Amino acid sequence: MLSRRHFLATAASLTASLAGGFATRVDAQGRKVLVATIPSSPSTLDPLNQSNHDAMAVSQLIYQNLLEVDVDGNLVPQLAVALPEISEDRLTYTFRLREGVRFHNGAPFTAADVKYSYDYMLDPANEALRRSYWTAIDSVEIVSDYEVRFHLSRPYRPLLSSMTKYMGIFPQGSREGAAEAFQTAPVGLGTGPAIFSEAQTGAYVELVRNPDYWGEAPDWDVVRFEIAGEANARLAALMSGTADVVGGPAARDFLRLTAEGGGYAGASKPALGAAMMLMHNCAKAPFDDRNFRLAVARAFDRAAIAERIYGGLLEETSVLVPTASPLHAPEAAARLSMDLDAARAALAASAYADAPAFELTYPTDAYLLDVRDTALYIQAAMAEVGITVTLKPLETGQMFGDIFGGNHQTVLWAVVGTTDPTFIMNALFVPGQSLNVGTGFSSEALTAAIEESFGASDDALAPILARAQEILADEAPAAFIGTPKAFNLWGPDVTEMPVNTGITLRLRDVKLAA
């Protein structure tokens, strides 16, 4: 949480540099400063172990990958010069790399750095948080200084989308004895448009423009991330002129300020690979009972949440795949739509019919979406069918501690992954995957369907994913609410701000007034 003293001190120092109301900030060294306020403090700046998308807004300015997803969701090259050449059997992927790229420490970027980075991540001893996403990689071969080849043990369709996230390319040999540097002060370790400058835990992270960046130079010299857990504090920073961009604004604030104008602007677009849900711990009572889970899934009105709380910034769906997607299975969705009689019948058939109750954990700071009003609505909706809900608000870092410790009953939150349509269901419901400890759920049929999808071509996915959605509708290991949109607010100094379909703030392309 941003302390009141630090907030006021920062506001005073930045306001002192304003001339005649709103004007582009210039610090004492004559540098143009972009200030973004985000809801939670990065627990680590290491891209291999980040669980928090606010942290990714920082690390994606420092580190880069072979590929990235642009703001519209298209897969594009980053440190590679083009998408890879893929063998006919889909077991080898060959990348040609950019020449002339240098790390922040001045070392040239080559294929040896790519191999080193992936070999480090794939080594189980290094405990990379999402190592399981890349275990289909059998080996990484250096073909030449600027060509690298990935050899797979089996066809793995999500490989390229996985390469855009939860990973980074860092200098050969940089990891040895440098765990603390990667976590808190990654100086000299990336190739991105910004270089780590300084940070204060729970208060701010500051980066400076990379003068030797290989791509288009940012329009700012310094980007400063101020941490403010309260939505009102982030909004106040924007309206006072001490912040330019708000991450995780409350939906009501976004809708009001974009409608009123007054120098404030914002935009939204559908988020790819995102879902808002009640994620149940199926290893703990009462969510170890399928009928209880079905009762919860059918006891609330998703349309009311989407329209009354989020003003259309959430698209309702009771299954994981968005309704707008050609892969959406409407028959599966219908089986979990709101039906109070069906909810009461399922509750009566459960093992917890006599005193139905559960504890609902949710983040107090806006992790992707502000869910506090939704938590209150869920509590009231469950009371209508006789279920008592106790609310358990936690700061995001504490919430992740509960999830990865398997200590919760259910969590209300928004999850976002890669653009691959199987990403979230794989992460949550397949044993050994990153979030499965938080769901405690497994299904041989679902795991088999997901594995089958990995070897399928894109045009063969629909029937496989329809089967997966049917299994999820039958077992209800989570109560899906909807697909959130990505939306941001910004102030008068910002002339251009691309909203990212991946929700993470993308600040390298922000343009500021002269």
Side-chain angles (χ1 to χ4, degrees):
M1 185 74 71
L2 180 62
S3 71
R4 182 174 184 273
R5 178 181 296 177
H6 178 77
F7 182 86
L8 292 175
T10 301
S13 65
L14 290 173
T15 302
S17 67
L18 299 179
F22 291 112
T24 301
R25 287 170 196 80
V26 177
D27 69 8
Q29 289 103 313
R31 302 176 303 177
K32 188 187 295 187
V33 181
L34 170 68
V35 179
T37 177
I38 58 177
S40 57
S41 184
S43 57
T44 179
L45 295 176
D46 185 349
L48 301 190
N49 294 297
Q50 285 172 346
S51 57
N52 183 326
H53 268 68
D54 290 329
M56 290 177 196
V58 181
S59 65
Q60 288 173 1
L61 288 171
I62 299 171
Y63 299 99
Q64 295 184 301
N65 288 296
L66 297 182
L67 306 174
E68 67 172 335
V69 174
D70 68 15
V71 293
D72 296 317
N74 303 304
L75 192 67
V76 296
Q78 192 171 60
L79 290 176
V81 297
L83 298 182
E85 296 178 8
I86 304 173
S87 64
E88 189 173 344
D89 61 5
R90 291 183 290 151
L91 293 178
T92 62
Y93 288 66
T94 303
F95 291 86
R96 182 70 187 169
L97 307 179
R98 291 188 187 277
E99 299 185 32
V101 176
R102 290 190 175 272
F103 288 98
H104 298 158
N105 63 7
F109 159 73
T110 70
D113 303 303
V114 177
K115 177 174 172 58
Y116 173 80
S117 299
Y118 274 89
D119 285 352
Y120 180 92
M121 180 271 296
L122 287 167
D123 185 345
N126 295 322
E127 299 181 334
L129 181 62
R130 293 179 175 85
R131 171 182 173 273
S132 58
Y133 300 163
W134 290 279
T135 52
I137 298 173
D138 188 53
S139 64
V140 182
E141 173 193 1
I142 298 173
V143 180
S144 69
D145 283 351
Y146 295 101
E147 192 170 353
V148 65
R149 182 169 296 136
F150 288 76
H151 298 274
L152 276 56
S153 58
R154 69 186 193 279
Y156 186 63
R157 181 186 42 76
L159 178 69
L160 298 184
S161 61
S162 295
M163 283 183 162
T164 65
K165 209 169 191 179
Y166 313 121
M167 186 57 191
I169 305 300
F170 29 89
Q172 185 177 13
S174 60
R175 283 277 176 176
E176 284 65 34
E180 182 65 22
F182 273 90
Q183 182 168 335
T184 62
V187 177
L189 300 175
T191 59
I195 299 172
F196 178 84
S197 175
E198 61 177 298
Q200 181 177 322
T201 302
Y204 68 91
V205 179
E206 186 173 283
L207 312 177
V208 298
R209 181 170 58 83
N210 176 6
D212 300 317
Y213 182 52
W214 60 267
E216 181 181 353
D219 193 36
W220 39 260
D221 299 306
V222 178
V223 59
R224 186 178 178 96
F225 294 86
E226 296 279 355
I227 292 88
E230 283 294 324
N232 287 341
R234 296 193 299 279
L235 185 66
L238 178 72
M239 298 189 73
S240 68
T242 58
D244 301 297
V245 177
V246 174
R252 60 180 176 273
D253 295 331
F254 173 86
L255 295 167
R256 175 173 60 84
L257 287 180
T258 53
E260 291 176 355
Y264 304 103
S268 68
K269 64 175 60 173
L272 300 177
M276 183 179 178
M277 69 181 80
L278 291 169
M279 187 186 80
H280 308 320
N281 186 345
C282 301
K284 292 183 68 171
F287 292 102
D288 58 346
D289 186 291
R290 170 181 169 272
N291 283 312
F292 189 88
R293 300 195 299 262
L294 288 170
V296 170
R298 307 209 71 173
F300 63 92
D301 188 345
R302 293 164 179 82
I305 294 173
E307 293 302 323
R308 297 176 192 173
I309 297 178
Y310 295 105
L313 294 172
L314 180 80
E315 178 191 8
E316 63 170 298
T317 179
S318 57
V319 292
L320 191 51
V321 179
T323 56
S325 169
L327 301 173
H328 178 77
E331 299 83 2
R335 290 167 53 187
L336 292 179
S337 59
M338 181 180 178
D339 185 326
L340 296 184
D341 290 337
R344 293 186 181 102
L347 181 61
S350 77
Y352 304 103
D354 290 341
F358 64 85
E359 185 176 70
L360 173 61
T361 301
Y362 67 94
T364 52
D365 43 343
Y367 181 67
L368 307 182
L369 285 179
D370 191 327
V371 300
R372 291 173 296 179
D373 290 344
T374 306
L376 293 171
Y377 168 77
I378 292 291
Q379 184 183 50
M382 294 301 132
E384 288 292 312
V385 296
I387 300 174
T388 300
V389 175
T390 301
L391 300 181
K392 183 183 178 182
L394 290 177
E395 184 270 337
T396 292
Q398 295 175 308
M399 179 190 74
F400 277 118
D402 264 19
I403 291 171
F404 288 111
N407 299 322
H408 62 290
Q409 288 184 304
T410 191
V411 172
L412 170 64
W413 67 329
V415 182
V416 64
T418 70
T419 56
D420 186 81
T422 62
F423 179 89
I424 292 178
M425 64 177 74
N426 179 57
L428 268 62
F429 305 127
V430 173
Q433 296 297 315
S434 60
L435 287 171
N436 187 247
V437 67
T439 67
F441 177 81
S442 65
S443 161
E444 290 184 4
L446 180 62
T447 298
I450 293 172
E451 283 293 327
E452 183 182 351
S453 79
F454 290 163
S457 59
D458 290 343
D459 56 6
L461 273 181
I464 301 171
L465 287 191
R467 190 183 343 134
Q469 289 170 81
E470 289 287 341
I471 295 167
L472 290 173
D474 184 59
E475 294 289 340
F480 298 110
I481 298 171
T483 305
K485 290 184 178 180
F487 56 98
N488 300 130
L489 278 171
W490 54 87
D493 286 348
V494 174
T495 60
E496 187 176 327
M497 168 76 192
V499 177
N500 188 1
T501 57
I503 295 183
T504 304
L505 283 176
R506 180 168 163 139
L507 299 182
R508 77 181 193 222
D509 299 327
V510 168
K511 305 297 183 186
L512 296 171

